[in-house]
Amino acid sequence: MNAGRETGQSANEWAAARLRSEGTFSAEEIAWCRANGIEMGYCPIQHGLVPVACIDDLVGPHFVPAASLQLQSEADGLVFRRWQLSDAETFADLLTNERVWQYLPDPFPGSIDRRAAEDLITLSREGEHHDVYAVQHGAVVVGQTRLLFDLAAPERSSAEISYWLGERYWGQKLGSRIVAAFTRASFSRWPDLRTIVARVHAHNHASERVLVKSGYVRADKASPADPWRLFRCERRLAS
């Protein structure tokens, strides 16, 4: 674990240069990473923790999202994991709230029962066009993040991020922590991804602030006729 120091690299630079195929961390290495602020994620292929920022040499650009995949942001106490059918009641409770849907692109569907929640969870785990996660803060699921790929873009170089948060978790500064952590994790998980965009309703000023705080910049010109604003975040390439 002293490799970074021996080469003059910072802990984060060392983590970003590490190959995922080098294996998972031992208990001693996990403690060292936590002490040095290195974010770790669970690797379902090797069954252990690796740096979120490592070079992912184990999957190709068209890898279908693994049903068991889990990403962790140690510094923020966040876990991004697949929705499970056992989450159906929580899923339905969080989304059966018209205020949560106020600035989402889809209209409020009304009350969501357990069966409908199970169907939506099943859909979230299928297909190559998106990468969907329940967001867990501590032991509690607080919302969802999603990466929607532009399948017309070569090698999945572009995707759109979206998220929602249960109303009871608003006002706790979770939004910017979730978006920033999920953006970093997405760039790490998908090595060919170069650009992540986000569309925000013109009246959703809180979400605009979340994106700017998370490293996104405005990518369009304001138009009174268009209710949506486009933001963009580019992968930071090593110089």
Side-chain angles (χ1 to χ4, degrees):
M1 296 303 295
N2 294 322
R5 297 174 186 174
E6 292 171 358
T7 60
Q9 293 175 306
S10 69
N12 287 329
E13 287 173 337
W14 170 83
R18 190 178 189 275
L19 296 176
R20 181 177 171 189
S21 62
E22 290 181 40
T24 60
F25 291 140
S26 66
E28 181 182 50
E29 290 171 332
I30 290 171
W32 185 90
C33 287
R34 286 173 174 163
N36 286 273
I38 295 176
E39 294 183 349
M40 293 173 284
Y42 181 77
C43 174
I45 298 175
Q46 302 177 102
H47 304 289
L49 294 177
V50 297
V52 166
C54 68
I55 298 171
D56 195 344
D57 59 333
L58 293 182
V59 299
H62 299 292
F63 176 69
V64 178
S68 62
L69 185 67
Q70 177 173 300
L71 306 174
Q72 287 183 262
S73 178
E74 292 282 339
D76 295 300
L78 298 170
V79 173
F80 302 98
R81 64 167 177 80
R82 297 292 183 226
W83 286 105
Q84 306 295 325
L85 291 181
S86 58
D87 295 317
E89 289 185 9
T90 298
F91 185 95
D93 178 59
L94 291 172
L95 278 182
T96 302
N97 182 332
E98 191 167 5
R99 282 168 57 83
V100 172
W101 292 79
Q102 182 178 6
Y103 295 124
L104 296 183
D106 300 313
F108 176 54
S111 179
I112 298 174
D113 60 21
R114 183 183 180 88
R115 176 62 180 274
E118 290 178 346
D119 289 343
L120 290 170
I121 287 172
T122 299
L123 287 173
S124 78
R125 294 159 58 95
E126 295 179 347
E128 298 184 29
H129 65 293
H130 64 188
D131 204 13
V132 185
Y133 298 85
V135 181
Q136 190 169 303
H137 182 239
V140 181
V141 173
V142 299
Q144 173 179 285
T145 55
R146 181 190 190 213
L147 201 64
L148 178 64
F149 293 103
D150 178 1
L151 295 182
E155 298 181 334
R156 294 196 180 189
S157 59
S158 177
E160 180 177 341
I161 189 175
S162 62
Y163 77 99
W164 54 261
L165 197 62
E167 185 180 7
R168 68 178 66 98
Y169 305 109
W170 295 359
Q172 300 179 29
K173 299 183 178 179
L174 282 173
S176 55
R177 292 161 60 187
I178 288 169
V179 171
F182 186 60
T183 297
R184 292 193 300 269
S186 295
F187 278 129
S188 177
R189 170 159 163 69
W190 302 99
D192 291 311
L193 186 60
R194 291 293 176 265
T195 305
I196 300 178
V197 299
R199 300 181 190 277
V200 182
H201 195 279
H203 295 160
N204 194 352
H205 303 303
S207 217
E208 286 192 7
R209 290 193 294 271
V210 163
L211 288 167
V212 171
K213 189 175 181 180
S214 302
Y216 287 74
V217 297
R218 184 70 179 271
D220 63 353
K221 295 182 179 180
S223 170
D226 188 353
W228 299 97
R229 303 288 181 260
L230 183 69
F231 288 77
R232 180 188 306 271
C233 184
E234 303 287 347
R235 177 188 289 272
R236 292 187 178 90
L237 299 176
S239 58

